[in-house]
């Protein structure tokens, strides 16, 4: 009754099903792994954002690499902005996906060390990309800055190429080691995304808080792949039984037709 399973068509179909089942199971586990990674990342971000502010030099120092656990920690610093050595970071977008610049301003601490401060986003509305844009001035004099600590940007982590030969005072990546070489001063590892004081006239546009990654979507995808894996053998059985039934009916009809034919005289 099921000898048709040895046909070329059914052998190929069976082999495809045998390949699909473990593949879908592995894809489900991969999505579950992504769910766990995103959930852990969301928890780290929430813990960091909810922690009490601390002086920046308790979290980082010149040459320090900001860790995953230190990322997004709220830090404070007292000092003054050094606008003479201010630069802009090219090809950055705001919340509306508009392309512009991030404003990176050195902040000189009371002990002489430098903290890099990302003051926010400004539009690229100059006459050309080679002209240094008009940047609103920060508060003058001694002030206290609060912000979120971030690790140095690298091409490997961000996918942004560190292009050479850029116009004066324009950079591609925020990197404390490179800025220390440019400034000739000790620069704290990483940089700070400014949250206070808020700029006058809402420009530069402050960078928003990091959002939660959609971990639940990965969980749903994992369940979906496992359901697909379970559906493959069920579908194979249904198709095989239907094929067997159709063949049996065709054989029965052929037999009935043969029996109904008159005997030769």
């Amino acid at each position: 009754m099921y000898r048709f399973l040895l046909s070329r068509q059914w052998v190929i179909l069976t082999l495809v099903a045998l390949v699909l089942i473990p593949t879908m199971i592995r894809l489900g586990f991969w999505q579950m792994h992504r769910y766990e990674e995103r959930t852990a990342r969301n928890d780290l971000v929430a813990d960091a954002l909810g922690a009490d502010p601390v002086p920046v030099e308790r979290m980082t120092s010149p040459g320090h690499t900001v860790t995953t656990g230190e990322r997004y920690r709220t830090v404070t610093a007292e000092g003054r902005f050094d606008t003479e050595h201010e630069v802009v970071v090219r090809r950055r977008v705001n919340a509306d996906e508009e392309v512009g610049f991030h404003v990176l301003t050195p902040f000189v601490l009371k002990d002489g060390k430098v903290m890099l401060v990302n003051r926010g986003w400004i539009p690229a509305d100059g006459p050309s990309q080679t002209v240094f844009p008009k940047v609103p001035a920060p508060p003058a004099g001694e002030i206290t800055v609060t912000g979120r600590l971030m690790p140095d940007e690298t091409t490997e982590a961000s996918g942004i190429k560190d292009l050479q030969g850029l116009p004066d005072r324009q950079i591609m990546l925020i990197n404390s080691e490179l800025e220390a070489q440019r400034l000739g001063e000790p620069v704290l590892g990483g940089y700070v995304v400014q949250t206070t004081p808020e700029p006058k006239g809402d420009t530069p546009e402050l960078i928003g808080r990091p959002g939660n990654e959609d971990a639940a979507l990965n969980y749903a995808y994992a369940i979906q792949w496992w359901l697909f894996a379970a559906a493959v053998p069920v579908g194979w059985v249904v198709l095989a039984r239907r094929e067997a039934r159709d063949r049996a009916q065709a054989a029965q009809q052929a037999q009935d037709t043969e029996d109904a034919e008159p005997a030769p005289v």
Side-chain angles (χ1 to χ4, degrees), residues 27 38 40 49 52 62 90 125 136 145 169 185 196 210-211 223 235:
L27 287 171
R38 287 187 163 186
L49 294 177
D52 294 331
R90 293 167 60 94
D125 55 3
V145 168
R169 300 176 66 187
E185 301 289 346
T196 62
I223 300 300

Side-chain angles (χ1 to χ4, degrees), residues 48-84:
L49 294 177
D52 294 331
V54 297
V56 66
E57 290 188 274
R58 283 178 51 185
M59 300 297 299
T60 184
S61 59
H64 175 75
T65 299
V66 177
T67 65
T68 301
E70 295 165 343
R71 186 178 186 180
Y72 298 121
R73 283 294 304 270
T74 301
V75 295
T76 62
E78 295 182 6
R80 59 178 179 80
F81 280 111
D82 176 15
T83 55
E84 183 180 349

Side-chain angles (χ1 to χ4, degrees), residues 63-112:
H64 175 75
T65 299
V66 177
T67 65
T68 301
E70 295 165 343
R71 186 178 186 180
Y72 298 121
R73 283 294 304 270
T74 301
V75 295
T76 62
E78 295 182 6
R80 59 178 179 80
F81 280 111
D82 176 15
T83 55
E84 183 180 349
H85 296 99
E86 188 172 66
V87 296
V88 292
V89 191
R90 293 167 60 94
R91 299 180 184 176
R92 300 304 168 106
V93 297
N94 64 357
D96 297 323
E97 298 297 322
E98 298 173 321
V99 179
F101 302 95
H102 280 177
V103 179
L104 187 68
T105 310
F107 189 78
V108 183
L109 306 180
K110 290 186 174 182
D111 61 5

